[in-house]
Each structure stands twice: as C-alpha cells, then as structure tokens.
C-alpha cells in the first residue's frame, strides 16, 4: 500500500535501527479526546499521526471533522442555540425593567444558523492548527486497525494508506441511536437538529436525558410548540430526584408539554406533518420529531473484533484503569469506552493517557466529583453525590440543606420560576459530598463549588466563607438550617 501523507506532506522514512514504526502514536478520531491525546503526546516528544473524516456539520460513516461531536455538532453549537433561545424569555422579562418593545419581535433562524456554522468552521480550523503546531501529522480519511501495530486509512478516492505505530489510540466517540419503530426514518437526531434549514413550528422530542431536555428548552425558547416524551416519571434519570422535579416544573412553566412514562410506537407521514403515536394511546402531530434516546459507541467500522479487541455488550471498547485494551499496544479514551461520557472527562482521560504512555508518569483518570451541567432553561448543574446516591453509599447519617428562592431578577420581571440549591453533607465528617443548583448561571456557580467539594471542604468551611451580595451564589454559604437528616438505616429507593 502507498505510504504517503494526505495532509502535511510526506512522512519522513524512519531509521530502521532507531525505530521500526512509522509513528510512536497513531490516533483514530480527532474529537476532543483524540486531539488532546495527540497534542500532549507530541509535546512529550512522540511522533504522532491522527486521522479524521472530512468535515460536515452532520456526521455519517464518511463525514465527521476535526473537533469531533462536542465542537462541531454537540456542546458548542448547542450552547450557541441555548443563548439564542434564552433571549426570548429575556426580552419578555425586560418589559418590567423599563424596556418598551414592540408587541411582535421576529426571530431569524437562518441568520443564527449561519453564525453557528461560521463559529464551528472557525473552531475546526483552530483544532487543525493546534495539531499542526504540535507537530502532529493529520490524515483525512476513515481509519481502522488491521493489526496490533498497524492502521489503515481510506481516503475519499478509495486509496488505502497503511502505517505502523508503537501505540494506537481509539478515540472515535459515539453516535445517536434510533429506536426500532415503524417510521423512525422520518425523525431526526441532534446532528440534524443543529442544522435544520427551516425552523419548525411543532416538535415532538423523545428521551429524558441531557439532549432532549436541552432541545425542548431551545425550541420552546424560539417559539415552537414542544411535546417531550420520556419513559420515567421525571426526566434526567440518574440526577438528584428533587432537582429532577425542579427541572420538570420549570419545563412546564416555560410552556413545554411533558409526557412522562411515554414511548413512541409509530411515526407516519401525513399532509399535516408527522403523526406520532405513543404507547399511551396519544396521537401528536409535529413538523419535526427528535430522537434523543441515547448514544452508542462508534466502533462498528474499526475492525476491532477481527484484531481481538474486547468490546462490551453495547459495543464499547473495554479498557483498564489506564485506558488500555486487552491488546497492550491499543488504547481508547472518550465516549467509545462508555465510561463517563462527557467532553471534559474525555480530555482528562486523554491527558492521563499521554502522561502514562509518553510522560513517564502512569496516571489513572479520577471520576470522583466530576461536575456536570444540563443546559436547560434555566440550567441544572451538580457535583458529587445526589441525595439518593449519598444515602445508598453512606456509612453514617446524611444532612441535607436546601434553599428555594425567587431570584432578584424575577421579583421585578414577574417570572414565576424559583432557583433551588442543595448541599448534601456527611453528618459524621461534616464534609460536603454533593451540591446541586437549578437556576440562572448554575454551571458557572457549580464550577467553583466543585473545587471546594474536590478538596474535601466541610460544611463549617462553607458557612465561614463570606458571600458575595447580592448574588444567588451566596446562598451556598448561608444555608444554616438542616432541611432534613437521614439516618444511615433509612435508605429510601426510587424508581422515578
């Protein structure tokens, strides 16, 4: 097979006496984790190659782009849309602050779409430059593993390039799943939702996780009629139950129609749109149906089983604590391993990989006290244990402190939407082991709280911290009274 670079010129031929591999590291997948691992490994002196599919806002088996899901069709463009959708409510709220607005305010979806595309193209270019400046060789094409130390890259014209590497890192991320129901091809996933040519008027969203809740908020903020269907009693399974209820209440307060304990059974194209039938006997009509029922590891085209890489039942790559597969030269980070599927976690895993393999400092990723955010409107953010997790894991009593209040802004605007904050404390050690907030700027507040929780701060230390006034964040250091105390023996279970 040909041995030439698609991008960045020719590969220099290695000195056989020094190294019989073309690369010290070859990375398949240039998303957040892959780019971080490639750059940091190169900074340690490794000779690194990386391959990625050609850029396109909507991913497929033949299209992707440097930057990956988060940058191109995930977190970043999603957050841009959240900002846009938030303005709808802000404009309404501004009237009581003295702003005289015309009754009709137009929203130009195509202008936003154009600006969003400009931004992800800019970021795509930045990621390419980051790799190039680190000395990483970039290949454009589909990569697969053909041996413990050999990868094959198929270019757009079908030409196959073969390279050897001492280590190979799999960082191909995940893909949106589709349910096996009649008419599912009429629906879209989050990829397409971020790039719709026309903004619909009616949307049905299926799923109870991050993506479904966030898009419900986005589309409702842009004026759509939104129906959100999910299997459990509350959305956001796995989060603190009390905070889930707050999110659900806020979604309904913003005008989103919730359909708990509901799954779709069929989609049918009609003259009026898409007819959606549920297992509760409901019939809904929509211009667009978004499927957000989860994501699956992107491993099908990598030839992993043929070379003996162990996968779990979901198709995820099995790895040890250092992100190594059962084959010593093959490694994996990010969503493709289905550990904790968050972009910052993929970055952490990639950093640890580079330290372990090329930095001479074996380092395990630390999944304890990872802060997360759901960018609903208003957002939810948490760090540490939920109340349910704390009760389940506790050796002693748990103290729960909560604060529910009307933000100052809402007292003027008249918006009926409470902010809720919560601290979960190990009563025996006084350590704060969990913190949650649902309200404006929650992710910005919790990022700071996460440092304290990670450092093992006690409730007494929280209480001794002077608050910033007036701010919502000061509530975290002024919650003096215990809302409830749960004895170690009392462990309520939930199936919400």
């Amino acid at each position: 097979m040909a041995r030439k670079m698609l991008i960045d010129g020719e590969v220099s031929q290695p000195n056989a006496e020094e190294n019989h591999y073309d690369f010290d590291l070859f990375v398949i997948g240039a998303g957040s984790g892959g780019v971080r691992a490639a750059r940091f490994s190169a900074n340690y002196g490794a000779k690194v190659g990386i391959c990625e599919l050609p850029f396109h806002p909507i991913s497929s088996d033949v299209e992707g782009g440097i930057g990956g899901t988060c940058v191109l069709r995930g977190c970043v463009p999603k957050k841009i849309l959240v900002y846009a959708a938030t303005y709808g409510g802000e404009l309404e709220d501004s009237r009581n602050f003295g702003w005289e607005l015309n009754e009709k305010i137009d929203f130009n979806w195509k202008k936003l779409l154009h600006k969003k595309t400009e931004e992800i193209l800019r970021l795509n270019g930045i990621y390419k430059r980051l790799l190039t400046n680190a000395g990483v060789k970039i290949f454009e094409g589909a990569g697969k593993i053909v041996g413990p130390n050999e990868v094959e890259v198929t270019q757009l014209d079908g030409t196959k390039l073969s390279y050897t590497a001492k280590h190979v890192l799999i960082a191909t991320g995940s893909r949106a799943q589709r349910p096996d129901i009649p008419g599912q091809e009429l629906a879209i996933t989050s990829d397409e939702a971020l790039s719709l040519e026309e903004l619909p008027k009616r949307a049905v969203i299926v799923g109870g996780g991050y993506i479904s809740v966030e898009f419900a908020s986005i589309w409702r903020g842009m004026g759509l009629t939104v129906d959100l269907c999910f299997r459990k009693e509350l959305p956001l399974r796995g989060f603190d139950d009390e905070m889930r209820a707050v999110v659900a209440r806020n979604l309904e307060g913003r005008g989103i129609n919730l359909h708990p304990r509901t799954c779709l059974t069929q989609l049918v194209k009609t003259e009026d749109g898409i007819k959606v039938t549920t297992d509760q006997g409901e019939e809904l009509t929509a211009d667009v149906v978004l499927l957000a029922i989860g994501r699956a590891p992107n491993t099908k085209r990598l030839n992993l089983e043929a070379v003996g890489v162990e996968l779990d039942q979901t198709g995820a790559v099995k790895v040890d604590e250092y992100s190594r597969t059962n084959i010593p030269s093959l490694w994996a980070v990010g969503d493709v391993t289905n550990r904790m599927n968050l972009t910052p976690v993929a970055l952490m895993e990639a950093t640890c990989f580079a330290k372990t393999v090329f930095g001479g400092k074996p380092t395990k990723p630390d999944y304890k006290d990872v802060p997360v955010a759901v960018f609903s409107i208003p957002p939810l953010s948490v760090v540490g244990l939920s109340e349910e997790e704390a009760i389940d894991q506790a050796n002693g009593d748990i103290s729960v402190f909560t604060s529910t209040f009307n933000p100052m802004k809402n007292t003027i605007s008249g918006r009926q939407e409470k902010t809720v904050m919560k601290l979960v404390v190990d009563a025996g050690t006084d350590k704060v082991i969990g913190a949650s907030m649902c309200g404006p700027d929650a992710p910005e507040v919790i990022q700071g709280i996460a440092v304290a929780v990670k450092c093992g701060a006690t409730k007494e230390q929280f209480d001794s911290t002077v608050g910033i006034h007036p701010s919502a964040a000061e509530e975290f250091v002024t919650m003096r009274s215990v809302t409830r105390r749960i004895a170690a023996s009392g462990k309520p279970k939930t199936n919400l």
Side-chain angles (χ1 to χ4, degrees), residues 252-267:
E252 287 189 304
R254 295 262 174 169
I256 296 164
N257 304 312
L258 302 186
H259 302 264
R261 299 194 181 279
T262 300
C263 296
L264 269 56
T265 57
Q266 181 176 256
L267 305 180

Side-chain angles (χ1 to χ4, degrees), residues 153-273:
V153 181
T154 303
Q155 301 178 102
L156 292 179
D157 63 2
T159 304
K160 297 182 187 299
L161 311 176
S162 180
Y163 299 96
T164 58
K166 186 174 182 180
H167 300 278
V168 177
L169 178 68
I170 303 158
T172 49
S174 61
R175 288 262 186 89
Q177 292 180 295
R178 287 176 172 268
D180 185 17
I181 60 171
Q184 59 87 11
E185 69 281 357
L186 298 173
I188 63 172
T189 68
S190 56
D191 278 15
E192 294 88 357
L194 290 161
S195 298
L196 291 172
E197 288 298 321
E198 300 289 341
L199 188 66
K201 289 183 170 58
R202 304 163 297 178
V204 170
I205 302 174
V206 188
Y210 291 76
I211 294 172
S212 57
V213 167
E214 290 169 345
F215 269 100
S217 289
I218 288 167
W219 280 340
R220 182 61 195 146
M222 293 176 180
L224 278 68
T225 298
V226 177
D227 288 271
L228 177 59
C229 304
F230 45 93
R231 289 187 300 171
K232 295 291 185 177
E233 186 64 34
L234 293 169
L236 300 174
R237 181 169 59 90
F239 283 82
D240 187 285
D241 285 347
E242 185 174 13
M243 305 309 288
R244 293 167 68 197
V246 172
V247 172
R249 189 162 63 245
N250 289 343
L251 293 174
E252 287 189 304
R254 295 262 174 169
I256 296 164
N257 304 312
L258 302 186
H259 302 264
R261 299 194 181 279
T262 300
C263 296
L264 269 56
T265 57
Q266 181 176 256
L267 305 180
V268 178
K269 183 69 175 174
T270 69
E271 290 184 1
D272 189 34

